[in-house]
């Protein structure tokens, strides 16, 4: 075993935690933009406005998860 958790696997290219939006990894930003149907700027602005909880961001953007 390599000591890595599944969330650390660099081959996984989607959000590691589907309840929180992380803006630190480009592939996570891209995945959330696709999931919510928004641009990166819209996603970043929404996270800045309401925090990283995905449900709050989706609600702020008028989207459903």
């Amino acid at each position: 075993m390599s000591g890595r958790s599944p969330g650390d696997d660099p081959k996984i290219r989607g959000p590691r935690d589907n309840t929180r939006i992380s803006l630190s990894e480009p592939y996570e930003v891209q995945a959330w933009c696709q999931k919510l149907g928004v641009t990166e700027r819209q996603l970043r602005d929404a996270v800045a406005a309401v925090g990283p909880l995905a449900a709050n961001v989706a609600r702020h953007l008028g989207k459903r998860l």
Side-chain angles (χ1 to χ4, degrees), residues 30-58:
Q30 182 181 16
W32 280 111
C33 287
Q34 287 179 326
K35 183 170 188 157
L36 294 169
V38 297
T39 66
E40 182 176 343
R41 175 60 22 215
Q42 289 171 312
L43 180 68
R44 289 183 181 279
D45 289 347
V47 170
V50 300
L53 291 179
N56 293 346
V57 171

Side-chain angles (χ1 to χ4, degrees), residues 2-47:
S2 68
R4 292 180 137 211
S5 70
D8 293 333
D9 188 340
K11 293 176 279 201
I12 298 173
R13 293 293 184 219
R16 291 180 180 166
D17 177 353
N18 63 3
T19 64
R20 299 180 68 81
I21 295 177
S22 170
L23 300 176
S24 63
E25 296 290 341
Y27 64 86
E28 288 196 41
V29 172
Q30 182 181 16
W32 280 111
C33 287
Q34 287 179 326
K35 183 170 188 157
L36 294 169
V38 297
T39 66
E40 182 176 343
R41 175 60 22 215
Q42 289 171 312
L43 180 68
R44 289 183 181 279
D45 289 347
V47 170

